[in-house]
């Protein structure tokens, strides 16, 4: 029997605060060498301006295995469709049999937000109260939700190239989180005064100016997931304490790091730590209230394995989902 879980059932099964703790554990296993994580396979579809990624992983400490198939099609929003579609298959590690198939579109947004929540919890100043989000899509929503789950956020700014989209975001997130959420009319307005900045775009150029960052800001950069993409200014990368999700993935895919490396602005040893090392306490997190901290994530499959496994366990306990015989 295989359990089928819809988007709504995935949402019910795993709240954000719990997802943050689950993702912390996954990163700790990854950094401790307790994960089998092949680099994701990308199947480009230039005819339709899209890419489909295949992301398997196995967490040995949890004995958990899953595969995510995720598509990113840039023309979809103009067609009234989500930018991202995804499906996650949970596999019984003992037998190799499929255990569950679930919506991966929301799960991707959830686990990406949870990673930023984990990084914010470990790296942002404890008194962080103002957040800024670049990108008013699904990823931008879970970014603000996650940051608000670990810090006493009172005010948030959102910037998007489409002002109407940003306004919808502000209205929705105000209602969902009971926060004062405002639309910024410029990147500078969004960043100035922000204690935590989240970038969730597909930009190929920096989305804000380094000069607008205040001392002590924490950044979660999750949108630039190819070598050509870039959200963070070179100057910010140079002066920030950089924490990544996974060395191999970051050095293969993170344009925010690869571009300044190619230009000789930073070297690979400028990277301070993997997030899992900070979770485990083997590397330090924030060490002063003035330093700029940058969490650069391209997304790794251990996040999907951990969150999907947690969803399935909760679904079994609460009776969510539909069992089918293949």
């Amino acid at each position: 029997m295989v359990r089928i879980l819809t988007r709504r059932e995935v949402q019910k099964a795993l709240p954000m605060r719990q997802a943050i703790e689950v993702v912390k554990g996954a990163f700790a296993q990854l950094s401790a060498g307790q994960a089998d994580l092949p680099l994701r396979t990308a199947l480009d579809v230039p005819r339709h301006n899209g890419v489909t990624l295949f992301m398997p992983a196995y967490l040995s400490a949890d004995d958990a295995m899953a595969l995510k198939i995720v598509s990113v099609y840039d023309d979809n929003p103009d067609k009234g469709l989500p930018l991202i579609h995804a499906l996650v298959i949970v596999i019984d590690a003992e037998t190799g049999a499929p255990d569950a198939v679930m919506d991966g579109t929301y799960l991707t947004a959830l686990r990406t937000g949870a990673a930023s929540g984990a990084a914010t919890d470990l790296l942002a100043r404890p008194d962080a109260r103002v957040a800024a989000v670049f990108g008013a899509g699904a990823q931008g929503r879970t970014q603000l939700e996650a940051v608000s789950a670990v810090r006493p956020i009172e005010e948030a700014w959102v910037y998007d190239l489409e002002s109407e989209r940003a306004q919808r975001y502000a209205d929705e997130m105000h209602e969902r989180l009971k926060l004062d959420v405002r639309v910024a009319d410029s990147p500078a307005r969004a960043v100035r005064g922000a204690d935590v900045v989240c970038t969730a775009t597909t930009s190929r150029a920096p989305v804000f100016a380094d000069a607008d960052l205040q001392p002590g800001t924490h950044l979660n950069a999750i949108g630039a997931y190819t070598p050509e993409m870039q959200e963070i200014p070179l100057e910010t990368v140079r002066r920030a304490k950089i924490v990544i999700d996974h060395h191999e993935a970051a050095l293969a895919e993170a344009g925010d790091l690869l571009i300044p490396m190619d230009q000789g602005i930073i070297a690979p040893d400028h990277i301070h730590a993997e997030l899992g090392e900070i979770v485990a306490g083997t590397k330090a997190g924030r060490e002063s209230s003035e330093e700029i901290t940058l969490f650069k994530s391209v997304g790794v499959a251990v996040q999907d394995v951990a969150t999907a496994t947690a969803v399935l366990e909760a679904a079994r306990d609460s009776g969510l989902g539909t069992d089918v015989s293949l």
Side-chain angles (χ1 to χ4, degrees):
M1 301 296 288
V2 177
R3 183 157 298 200
I4 308 298
L5 290 156
T6 66
R7 175 191 178 99
R8 181 169 293 182
E9 289 166 337
V10 172
Q11 287 177 311
K12 287 183 179 179
L14 189 62
M16 177 59 78
R17 195 64 185 86
Q18 183 181 349
I20 290 170
E21 296 307 312
V22 166
V23 165
K24 282 182 182 179
F27 280 132
Q29 290 182 64
L30 177 61
S31 294
Q34 296 174 321
D36 188 352
L37 182 69
L39 277 177
R40 59 188 169 197
T41 299
L43 184 64
D44 289 313
V45 191
R47 178 177 180 179
H48 300 295
N49 201 18
V51 60
T52 296
L53 307 169
F54 300 85
M55 302 173 60
Y58 171 65
L59 289 170
S60 61
D62 291 343
D63 199 25
M65 185 188 304
L67 165 71
K68 184 171 77 173
I69 305 169
V70 56
S71 297
V72 184
Y73 275 56
D74 290 339
D75 295 339
N76 275 4
D78 293 335
K79 300 175 182 178
L81 297 171
L83 173 69
I84 296 172
H85 286 102
L87 189 72
V88 175
I89 304 169
V90 179
I91 300 166
D92 186 322
E94 182 178 354
T95 66
D99 262 348
V101 176
M102 66 185 69
D103 168 69
T105 306
Y106 172 74
L107 192 76
T108 297
L110 173 67
R111 62 80 143 157
T112 305
S116 292
T120 301
D121 198 22
L122 294 164
L123 295 169
R125 298 193 325 272
D127 62 347
R129 284 179 167 77
V130 180
V133 177
F134 286 81
Q139 300 285 346
R141 283 163 166 78
T142 55
Q143 290 293 302
L144 183 56
E145 182 183 356
V147 168
S148 299
V150 298
R151 287 296 182 271
I153 301 299
E154 299 172 349
E155 177 183 332
W157 293 84
V158 58
Y159 179 79
D160 194 280
L161 294 177
E162 298 181 20
S163 58
E164 291 183 3
R165 190 175 186 226
Q167 188 60 59
R168 289 195 299 271
Y169 174 103
D171 294 341
E172 177 185 329
M173 298 309 290
H174 166 72
E175 181 65 26
R176 184 191 301 183
L177 301 177
K178 308 307 178 186
L179 293 177
D180 182 9
V181 184
R182 305 180 186 182
V183 175
D185 58 8
S186 68
R189 182 64 197 88
V191 170
R192 289 174 188 160
D195 303 307
V196 180
V197 176
C198 301
T199 59
T201 76
T202 55
S203 179
R204 290 174 178 259
V207 297
F208 61 86
D210 175 74
D212 291 323
L213 280 180
Q214 67 175 359
T217 303
H218 170 67
L219 299 104
N220 297 306
I222 63 96
Y225 57 89
T226 72
E228 300 79 22
M229 292 180 179
Q230 184 183 23
E231 296 182 303
I232 308 302
L234 298 175
E235 298 86 350
T236 301
V237 174
R238 178 167 48 199
R239 68 189 179 109
K241 172 179 280 184
I242 298 173
V243 176
I244 57 174
D245 47 13
H246 183 47
H247 276 285
E248 187 176 5
L251 294 177
E253 300 172 341
D256 279 320
L257 303 181
L258 294 175
I259 291 171
M261 285 181 189
D262 288 344
Q263 296 184 17
I265 293 172
I266 65 169
D269 62 7
H270 189 71
I271 296 171
H272 170 67
E274 289 185 343
L275 189 61
E277 294 176 294
I278 297 177
V279 173
T282 59
K283 291 284 184 71
R286 173 175 290 275
E287 295 178 279
S288 82
S289 61
E290 298 295 301
E291 68 182 340
I292 302 292
T293 53
L294 167 59
F295 173 57
K296 177 59 205 170
S297 173
V298 294
V300 287
V302 296
Q303 299 166 251
D304 303 298
V305 174
T307 52
T309 300
V311 166
L312 180 57
E313 289 175 355
R316 285 171 170 161
D317 290 341
S318 57
L320 292 170
T322 303
D323 288 330
V324 301
S325 179
L326 297 180

